């Protein structure tokens, strides 16, 4: 039986949201540091740390896109989570079947749809120089940021493990020794959404400073449960609070220490699965679909608490500098949802909406988690033609996961339980060289050796429903182990790999650079535990080799900037997750290989002194190449005479489909972002209108292709009308998100019925921001 001490009631109810809300409202009165304006009539220079040192974006020989604090603020005011970044930069897609708690990142179509809490992803999220490895950590809110950088393509040399697709970097605004400054922002909107955030910077001495940043996002429930006896009646509300405190000690220019403490406390709805919302034989929503209603007989809830700390040290040692980055993360989470998306079933009427072959309600929790990271990095600081850096990286993670199944028609009676434990350790040595052959031609090379080990074990297992070993009754660990080919539920894969990259930049004119890059990436083995309908599965390591080339240019005397690149990559032994199917399994597989190719365009221009435009385009053609690989397709339920979806792939046997030639799941071929801002001086301030739009083409939800589980293209637009005055210190704005209210199915559950989940509906709101 499960350890009740690990269930949600025992999770620490630290009421940090009250502190965050109070601090944010206080900060609103003292305001925030205004963004430094660009030179009149010119685009500002963008600096990044894509190569672990500060440099001009235009000089970096790889595909990098940044989001400015202004755009982050525009997106945050509606109370959105990190999924707001999806399609904001070329070739980036973010989705989740957990709601705000568990985002899944895809770059150039390359990602992982695995929904288990120990899933690994080929896109790494690095927050303030500390990798956030577990997918739950990747959902930490974006606030008081200096910038977001998206690095496309393998980053295995300088950023290490689990970066074969790319890296998303969040950089917080650092404490300043210069003066007291800060900002506060308060927005209210549809569904009683409130977004309060702020930051205050205090120099506490000639060599010390403290910066405290807070965020508190709340929204009322706006979805009604029309099933009167359901344990959860109103849904889709949340309270998401976060706090970050940074302390800088810099006694002289050759030493600095930056301490970072951060925390998050979230409570709200889990993802809403909606039964039979897709018209069979199409990917259309059913007639009369109402996004404000569901009919659940199961429970829906989600909780998350995250604490972390880091210490970044830098010593200047003459011609070299030594960096030390120590990170600690801890997270606890619990999420429970009605997976069949309806009430009752064909064996326990009444049931609906539509046919519910059988009930399914599940929960997953992480009662204990710890991640510790340490990096030492030595870099040259000379201004000569040769530059270098070298380092050592250590990673340790240890956590437990509890999974539950419930018998929905009979309330919360437990139908299945499993507890697993996973430990992950990695050590890496890395180095990189930069050399200027001529003032115009600069070359870079890097290498990294990684050793990665995992230890996975099943500590408890019980199933009283449909089980593979006893049909009815309890499935013990011994019985379950007997089904495994090796008779063992545990796994301990060990992998080692050397990654490398070569790149070069050639300056054609002072404003135009050509670049080329070849790089490799690596992701260690992954393990998933046995389930009611499948045994343990292990996927071996995958490797990626990527080629890209492009041009970065500033035009029209600095009034326009265009970056364009093409790429091709091949992933060998790609780890994929076959989810769903008739048995709702979660099985890890290695595809022989997958390929992707395409192009990306980033462009910004000041068309006039008052009109600015931005455009981002990503084209990604991905393809699975494994002629003999077949996976399970959509279920037919227990009593249904035919399958609930229209499979378009070849089917060698009943219930399976060949996936050779299919695109990668959740990989839109085209992503597009567009922004237009017009400003007009009025009085002692400035009136502006800003509109921003994103588009992504159709997506495939699963490894196999079917008509119903193909997401339609999605276009979402934003509109903002604001007035800035007081030399940029004050701003008031009206805004709208998804202003056309385009509702699309963005993910599905295929084992039971035509269940799907949707994007966020239209919202309107108002914001006031003050700075000092």
């Amino acid at each position: 039986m499960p350890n009740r001490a690990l269930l949600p009631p025992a999770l620490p109810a630290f009421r940090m949201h009250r502190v965050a809300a109070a601090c944010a409202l206080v900060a609103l009165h003292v305001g925030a540091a205004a963004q430094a304006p660009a030179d009149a009539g010119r685009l500002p220079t963008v600096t990044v740390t894509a190569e672990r040192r500060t440099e001009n974006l235009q000089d970096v020989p790889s595909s990098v896109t940044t989001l400015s604090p202004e755009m982050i603020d525009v997106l945050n005011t509606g109370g959105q989570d990190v999924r707001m970044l999806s399609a904001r930069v070329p070739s980036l897609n973010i989705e989740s079947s957990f709601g705000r708690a568990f985002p899944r990142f895809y770059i150039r179509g390359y990602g992982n749809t695995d929904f288990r809490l120990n899933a690994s992803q080929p896109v790494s999220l690095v927050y303030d120089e500390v990798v956030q490895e577990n997918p739950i950590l990747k959902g930490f809110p974006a606030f008081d940021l200096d910038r977001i950088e998206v690095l496309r393509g393998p980053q295995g040399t300088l950023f290490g493990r689990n970066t074969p697709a790319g890296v998303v970097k969040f950089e917080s605004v650092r404490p300043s020794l210069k003066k007291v400054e800060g900002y506060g922002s308060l927005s209210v909107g549809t569904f009683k959404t409130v977004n309060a955030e702020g930051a205050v910077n205090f120099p506490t001495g000639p060599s010390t400073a403290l910066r405290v940043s807070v965020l508190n996002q709340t929204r009322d429930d706006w979805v009604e449960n029309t099933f009167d006896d359901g344990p959860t009646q109103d849904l889709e509300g949340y309270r998401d609070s976060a706090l970050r405190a940074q302390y800088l000690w810099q006694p002289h220019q050759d030493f600095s220490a930056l301490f970072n403490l951060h925390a998050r406390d979230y409570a709200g709805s889990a993802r809403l699965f909606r039964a039979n919302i897709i018209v069979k034989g199409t990917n259309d929503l059913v007639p009369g679909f109402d996004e404000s209603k569901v009919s659940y007989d199961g429970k829906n809830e989600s909780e998350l608490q995250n604490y972390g700390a880091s210490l970044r040290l830098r010593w200047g040692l003459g011609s070299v500098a030594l960096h030390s980055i120590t990170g600690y993360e801890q997270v606890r989470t619990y999420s429970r949802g009605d997976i069949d998306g309806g009430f009752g079933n064909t064996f326990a009427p009444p049931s609906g909406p539509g046919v519910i072959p059988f009930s399914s309600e599940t929960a997953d929790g992480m009662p204990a988690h710890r991640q510790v990271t340490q990096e030492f990095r030595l870099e040259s600081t000379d201004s000569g033609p040769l530059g270098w850096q070298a380092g050592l990286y250590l990673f340790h993670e240890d956590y437990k996961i509890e999974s539950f199944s419930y018998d929905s028609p009979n309330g919360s009676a437990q139908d299945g339980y499993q507890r697993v434990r996973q430990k992950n350790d990695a050590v890496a040595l890395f180095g990189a060289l930069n050399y200027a052959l001529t003032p115009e031609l600069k070359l870079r090379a890097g290498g990294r050796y990684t050793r990665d080990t995992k230890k996975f074990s099943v500590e408890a297992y019980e199933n009283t429903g449909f089980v593979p070993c006893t049909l009815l009754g309890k499935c013990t660990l011994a019985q379950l182990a007997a089904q495994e080919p090796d008779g063992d539920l545990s796994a301990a894969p060990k992998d080692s790999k050397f990654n490398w990259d070569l790149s070069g930049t050639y300056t054609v004119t002072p404003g135009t650079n050509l670049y080329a890059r070849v790089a490799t990436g690596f992701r260690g083995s992954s393990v998933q535990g046995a389930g009611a309908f499948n045994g343990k599965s292990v996927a071996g390591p995958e490797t990626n080799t990527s080629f890209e080339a492009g041009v970065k240019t500033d035009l029209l005397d600095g009034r326009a900037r265009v970056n364009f690149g093409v790429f091709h990559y091949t992933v060998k032994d790609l780890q994929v997750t076959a989810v769903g199917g008739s048995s709702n399994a979660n099985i890890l597989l290695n595809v022989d290989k997958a390929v992707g190719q395409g192009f990306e365009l980033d462009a910004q221009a000041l068309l006039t002194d008052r009109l600015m435009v931005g455009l981002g385009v990503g084209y990604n053609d991905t393809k699975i190449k494994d002629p003999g690989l077949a996976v399970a397709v959509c279920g037919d339920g227990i009593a249904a005479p035919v399958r609930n979806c229209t499979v378009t792939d070849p089917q060698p046997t009943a219930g399976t489909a060949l996936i050779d030639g299919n695109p990668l799941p959740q990989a839109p071929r085209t992503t597009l972002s567009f922004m237009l801002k017009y400003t007009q001086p009025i009085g002692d301030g400035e009136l502006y209108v800003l509109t921003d739009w994103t588009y992504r083409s159709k997506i495939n939800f699963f490894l196999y292709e079917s008509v119903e589980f193909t997401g339609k293209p999605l276009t979402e637009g934003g509109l903002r009308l604001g007035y800035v005055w007081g030399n940029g210190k004050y701003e008031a704005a009206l805004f709208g998100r998804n202003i056309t209210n385009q509702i699309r199915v963005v993910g599905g559950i295929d084992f039971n019925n035509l269940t799907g989940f949707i994007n966020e509906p239209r919202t309107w709101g108002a914001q006031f921001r003050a700075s000092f």
Side-chain angles (χ1 to χ4, degrees):
M1 297 295 290
N3 182 350
R4 293 296 178 183
L6 300 179
L7 293 181
L11 292 178
F14 91 101
R15 298 303 177 189
M16 188 262 293
H17 64 284
R18 297 178 182 175
V19 178
C23 291
L25 291 175
V26 170
L28 183 61
H29 293 286
V30 296
Q35 297 298 318
D39 293 340
R42 296 175 61 90
L43 293 173
T45 299
V46 178
T47 58
V48 296
T49 54
E51 299 283 343
R52 303 302 300 274
R53 61 177 74 209
T54 301
E55 55 189 329
N56 189 331
L57 171 65
Q58 300 302 91
D59 296 332
V60 178
S62 61
S63 183
V64 182
T65 298
T66 65
L67 284 175
S68 67
E70 178 188 25
M71 181 53 68
I72 297 169
D73 180 62
V74 167
L75 300 176
N76 249 358
T77 52
Q80 298 190 42
D81 58 89
V82 296
R83 288 173 293 172
M84 68 186 176
L85 303 177
S86 186
R88 291 289 160 193
V89 303
S91 302
L92 176 65
N93 186 38
I94 309 173
E95 54 87 25
S96 174
S97 56
F98 276 70
R100 299 172 70 89
F102 184 151
R104 295 189 286 253
F105 291 76
Y106 306 79
I107 291 179
R108 294 175 173 171
Y110 184 8
N112 185 10
T113 60
D114 194 345
F115 57 81
R116 293 292 182 89
L117 295 181
N118 67 322
S120 69
Q121 297 183 1
V123 178
S124 181
L125 183 97
V126 178
Y127 212 126
D128 289 333
E129 296 294 325
V130 176
V131 64
Q132 308 294 299
E133 174 63 20
N134 190 274
I136 297 296
L137 294 175
K138 297 178 191 292
F140 196 88
F143 64 105
D144 193 28
L145 297 180
D146 180 65
R147 66 189 179 278
I148 295 175
E149 301 176 17
V150 179
L151 288 54
R152 292 180 285 268
Q155 306 296 324
T157 297
L158 293 175
F159 292 94
R161 61 193 309 277
N162 292 355
T163 60
V167 169
V168 178
K169 291 180 78 262
F170 287 14
E171 295 286 346
S172 299
V173 177
R174 294 168 61 101
S176 172
L177 300 174
K178 295 180 179 179
K179 60 180 180 179
V180 176
E181 59 185 11
Y183 79 95
S185 172
L186 178 66
S187 63
V188 296
T190 309
F191 312 128
K192 297 183 179 179
T193 301
V194 178
N195 189 93
E197 69 170 275
V200 180
N201 182 89
F202 298 101
T204 56
S207 61
T208 59
L210 173 68
R211 187 177 185 92
V212 179
S213 313
V214 293
L215 172 75
N216 192 63
Q217 297 175 317
T218 60
R219 182 172 72 182
D220 280 4
D221 292 308
W222 61 272
V223 175
E224 175 191 0
N225 185 2
T226 60
F227 186 75
D228 293 336
D229 295 330
T232 304
Q233 283 300 301
D234 298 314
L235 306 115
E236 282 287 53
Y238 59 79
R239 186 261 308 145
D240 201 352
S241 305
L243 169 70
R244 183 190 307 117
Q246 300 178 86
Y247 184 75
L248 174 65
W249 178 39
Q250 190 171 350
H252 49 79
Q253 64 178 6
D254 289 329
F255 176 78
S256 66
L258 180 60
F259 302 85
N260 181 314
L261 296 175
H262 51 272
R264 181 190 185 192
D265 186 15
Y266 170 77
S269 294
R271 194 61 152 158
L272 297 193
F273 303 109
R274 301 165 183 262
N276 297 303
I277 63 171
I278 306 170
V279 177
K280 189 169 183 179
T282 76
N283 58 354
D284 296 330
L285 287 165
V286 294
F289 173 74
D290 186 349
E291 64 266 24
S292 67
K293 292 182 172 58
V294 295
S295 293
Y296 285 172
D297 58 359
K299 199 168 186 179
N300 182 290
E301 58 184 348
S302 180
E303 295 184 27
L304 185 158
Q305 289 86 32
N306 173 203
Y307 313 83
S310 67
L311 172 60
R312 287 187 276 177
L313 304 174
R314 182 188 183 278
W315 292 269
L317 305 173
S319 62
V320 298
L322 175 63
H323 300 261
S324 171
I325 304 172
T326 306
Y328 176 83
E329 298 293 340
Q330 175 182 315
V331 64
R332 298 183 181 185
T333 185
Y334 178 84
S335 181
R336 177 173 173 177
D338 193 330
I339 308 303
D340 62 77
F343 62 92
N345 58 55
T346 54
F347 302 103
S351 64
V355 177
I356 309 294
F358 57 92
S359 299
S360 179
E361 184 182 346
T362 64
D364 291 283
M366 188 183 293
H369 170 276
R370 182 177 72 255
Q371 174 190 294
V372 181
T373 58
Q374 175 64 54
E375 179 179 278
F376 296 104
R377 181 167 54 89
L378 197 64
E379 68 171 345
S380 63
T381 57
D382 284 341
S383 58
L386 176 66
W388 58 269
Q389 52 185 312
L392 169 69
Y393 178 76
L394 303 171
F395 174 88
H396 171 75
E397 188 177 39
D398 185 0
Y399 55 93
K400 294 182 179 181
I401 298 172
E402 295 188 338
S403 300
F404 307 84
S405 296
Y406 299 90
D407 182 5
S408 299
N410 296 319
S412 60
Q414 195 171 298
D415 195 42
Y417 169 73
Q418 179 177 240
R419 183 174 68 244
V420 303
R421 184 176 185 178
Q422 178 167 301
K423 296 181 180 180
N424 189 187
D425 290 280
V427 58
L429 294 170
F430 63 92
L433 291 173
N434 305 344
Y435 188 73
L437 286 178
T438 69
E440 294 79 23
L441 179 60
K442 299 178 177 65
L443 302 180
R444 305 189 187 199
R448 188 183 192 104
Y449 176 80
T450 302
R451 182 168 178 80
D452 188 275
T453 63
K454 284 189 175 74
K455 185 176 180 181
F456 179 92
S457 59
V458 178
E459 296 186 340
Y461 186 94
E462 180 181 345
N463 197 311
T464 58
F466 294 98
V467 293
C469 52
T470 59
L471 294 182
L472 290 174
K474 293 184 178 181
C475 180
T476 66
L477 279 172
Q479 290 170 319
L480 190 62
Q483 302 172 79
E484 291 290 310
D486 57 4
D488 187 5
L489 294 177
S490 64
K494 297 180 180 180
D495 305 305
S496 59
K497 184 68 177 176
F498 178 76
N499 290 315
W500 55 270
D501 65 76
L502 294 171
S503 60
T505 304
Y506 182 75
T507 302
V508 180
T509 68
T512 301
N513 289 333
L514 302 178
Y515 74 89
R517 182 174 188 259
V518 56
T520 65
F522 158 73
R523 183 158 62 117
S525 300
S526 297
V527 185
Q528 287 299 356
F533 294 92
N534 62 273
K536 174 194 71 184
S537 59
V538 180
E542 69 185 23
T543 57
N544 181 25
T545 303
S546 170
F547 301 86
E548 64 177 89
V551 57
K552 299 184 177 185
T553 181
D554 289 340
L555 305 169
L556 305 177
D557 194 28
R559 297 181 64 88
R561 179 173 297 140
V562 177
N563 295 344
F564 176 81
V566 297
F567 64 87
H568 176 90
Y569 66 82
T570 301
V571 186
K572 293 184 178 179
D573 301 315
L574 172 69
Q575 297 178 25
V576 297
T577 306
V579 299
S582 298
S583 59
N584 192 29
N586 187 84
I587 302 172
L588 293 173
L589 303 168
N590 282 109
V591 168
D592 182 34
K593 68 178 179 179
V595 297
Q597 57 192 353
F599 66 85
E600 286 140 356
L601 170 71
D602 264 320
Q604 303 87 37
L606 287 168
L607 300 181
T608 71
D609 290 343
R610 298 177 183 175
L611 183 62
M612 181 175 181
V613 63
L615 176 67
V617 181
Y619 178 83
N620 302 271
D621 180 16
T622 64
K623 188 172 293 187
I624 295 171
K625 292 191 174 183
D626 196 331
L629 183 59
V631 300
V633 298
C634 52
D636 56 5
I638 294 176
V642 295
R643 299 206 168 272
N644 61 34
C645 75
T646 308
V647 179
T648 58
D649 291 324
Q651 300 181 63
T653 62
T656 67
L658 296 172
I659 63 172
D660 182 57
N662 287 354
L664 293 172
Q666 291 289 339
R669 179 162 291 191
T670 303
T671 59
L672 174 68
S673 62
F674 175 78
M675 184 275 292
L676 186 69
K677 182 179 182 181
Y678 177 77
T679 60
Q680 176 65 51
I682 295 180
D684 66 346
E686 187 175 76
L687 180 71
Y688 70 87
V689 178
L690 183 150
T691 185
D692 63 288
W693 293 81
T694 62
Y695 166 85
R696 64 120 179 95
S697 57
K698 69 177 183 178
I699 53 175
N700 198 34
F701 297 158
F702 307 113
L703 292 170
Y704 68 90
E705 289 191 297
S706 69
V707 174
E708 292 82 357
F709 293 116
T710 300
K712 288 185 173 183
L714 173 64
T715 302
E716 292 187 328
L719 183 63
R720 186 177 179 91
L721 174 64
Y723 184 68
V724 180
W725 72 99
N727 292 322
K729 291 183 177 181
Y730 306 103
E731 178 181 357
L734 302 175
F735 65 87
R737 307 303 311 166
N738 191 13
I739 57 177
T740 62
N741 200 33
Q742 187 174 97
I743 302 298
R744 292 285 189 262
V745 180
V746 295
I749 304 292
D750 70 341
F751 74 98
N752 194 317
N753 51 57
L754 291 172
T755 295
F757 43 92
I758 63 173
N759 60 310
E760 294 284 312
R762 175 171 52 210
T763 58
W764 300 101
Q767 178 194 17
F768 175 72
R769 179 184 175 101
S771 63
F772 75 99

